[in-house]
């Protein structure tokens, strides 16, 4: 668990654009052996959720929101040695943001959690066309597909993607998650067979360990 005063220092540095302090905090946590999942959940994810909240309430500009997101994306490289050093099982997961989705930090974290638990995690990035996603799934033949959604108004695009994937790959396990589900939509995706809503990275890990 990361102490609140350290989190507050990280958040204020993030909002100020002080990349150096953010790097130093992350490096110190890694050196102390703090688990990657704790850094992701209690530092990166918590801070970006707060940044998003501040933007939604017009307390920061979109430029600051984008800057903070870019800094956190850069910090991922610091923890990759621990993530990719995990023993792998041969299982594979494809993770993607939905079409029209340009937020990708959540999807990156999901792919990394798969890697941390011994899977090969393929993250495709933001705004992936549906036909390209199907081609990639056919090529890699993954054991699971993760779909990330940040904007609730893109729920229709997500359900279209699920329907398309399900029509082509009837037995593929699909997990969905993201900030969009704060506003609803769980009941929509639950209508599809073999689709599971994951509310947090901790829940994701529990789900992975059952597979």
């Amino acid at each position: 668990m990361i102490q609140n005063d350290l989190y507050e220092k990280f958040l204020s540095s993030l909002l100020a654009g002080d990349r150096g302090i953010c790097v130093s905090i992350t490096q110190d946590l890694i050196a102390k052996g703090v688990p990657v999942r704790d850094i992701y959940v209690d530092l990166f994810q918590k801070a970006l959720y707060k940044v998003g909240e501040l933007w939604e309430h017009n307390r920061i500009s979109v430029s600051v929101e984008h800057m903070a997101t870019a800094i956190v994306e850069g910090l991922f490289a610091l923890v990759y040695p621990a993530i990719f050093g995990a023993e792998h099982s041969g299982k594979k997961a494809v993770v993607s943001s939905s079409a029209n989705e340009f937020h990708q930090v959540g999807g990156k974290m999901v792919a990394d959690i798969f890697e941390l638990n011994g899977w090969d995690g393929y993250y495709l990035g933001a705004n992936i066309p549906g036909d390209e996603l199907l081609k990639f799934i056919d090529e890699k033949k993954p054991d699971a597909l993760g779909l990330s959604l940040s904007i609730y108004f893109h729920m229709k695009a997500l359900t279209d993607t699920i329907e398309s994937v399900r029509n082509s790959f009837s037995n593929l396990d699909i997990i969905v998650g993201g900030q969009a589900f704060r506003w609803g939509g769980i009941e929509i995706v639950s209508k599809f067979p073999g689709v599971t809503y994951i509310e947090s990275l901790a829940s994701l890990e529990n789900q992975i360990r059952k597979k």
Side-chain angles (χ1 to χ4, degrees):
M1 190 72 177
I2 294 174
Q3 297 298 317
N4 190 63
D5 58 344
L6 188 62
Y7 158 74
E8 292 292 346
K9 181 179 179 181
F10 180 85
L11 176 62
S12 62
S13 300
L14 197 62
L15 292 170
D18 196 327
R19 189 188 306 266
I21 292 180
C22 293
V23 167
S24 178
I25 291 173
T26 304
Q27 288 176 326
D28 287 346
L29 290 171
I30 294 170
K32 291 176 182 176
V34 175
V36 171
R37 62 185 59 83
D38 289 353
I39 296 174
Y40 273 23
V41 174
D42 298 328
L43 194 67
F44 296 171
Q45 186 181 70
K46 184 178 179 180
L48 286 180
Y49 280 1
K50 183 62 178 180
V51 168
E53 179 185 321
L54 292 172
W55 174 75
E56 287 175 357
H57 290 86
N58 295 315
R59 293 177 59 187
I60 62 172
S61 68
V62 68
S63 298
V64 171
E65 189 265 344
H66 285 183
M67 176 188 66
T69 300
I71 290 175
V72 171
E73 285 189 279
L75 296 175
F76 286 157
L78 299 176
V79 299
Y80 281 165
I83 290 173
F84 293 106
E87 184 177 347
H88 278 50
S89 64
K91 290 187 175 182
K92 295 176 288 187
V94 170
V95 181
S96 175
S97 299
S98 296
N100 303 318
E101 273 282 322
F102 293 93
H103 293 79
Q104 56 185 28
V105 172
K108 283 184 176 180
M109 288 186 181
V110 168
D112 289 351
I113 291 297
F114 272 107
E115 288 279 353
L116 194 61
N117 284 272
W119 291 48
D120 292 319
Y122 299 96
Y123 180 61
L124 305 187
N127 193 31
I128 299 298
D131 57 342
E132 292 299 323
L133 175 61
L134 294 178
K135 288 178 184 178
F136 195 84
I137 293 172
D138 188 52
E139 175 187 339
K140 294 299 182 181
K141 295 178 172 50
D143 299 278
L145 170 67
L147 295 172
S148 174
L149 189 70
S150 298
I151 308 298
Y152 177 75
F153 296 107
H154 296 161
M155 188 66 67
K156 175 63 165 56
L158 175 66
T159 56
D160 288 346
T161 299
I162 293 172
E163 185 172 4
S164 178
V165 171
R166 183 52 73 232
N167 288 337
S168 299
F169 305 97
S170 58
N171 296 319
L172 179 61
D173 286 339
I174 302 174
I175 62 171
V176 299
Q179 283 289 84
F181 290 94
R182 291 185 303 163
W183 313 108
I186 299 173
E187 71 287 350
I188 298 173
V189 298
S190 65
K191 295 178 181 179
F192 293 94
V195 178
T196 304
Y197 165 68
I198 301 295
E199 64 180 354
S200 66
L201 293 179
S203 298
L204 174 63
E205 278 205 306
N206 291 333
Q207 188 74 14
I208 292 173
R209 289 166 182 167
K210 294 176 183 178
K211 296 184 181 298

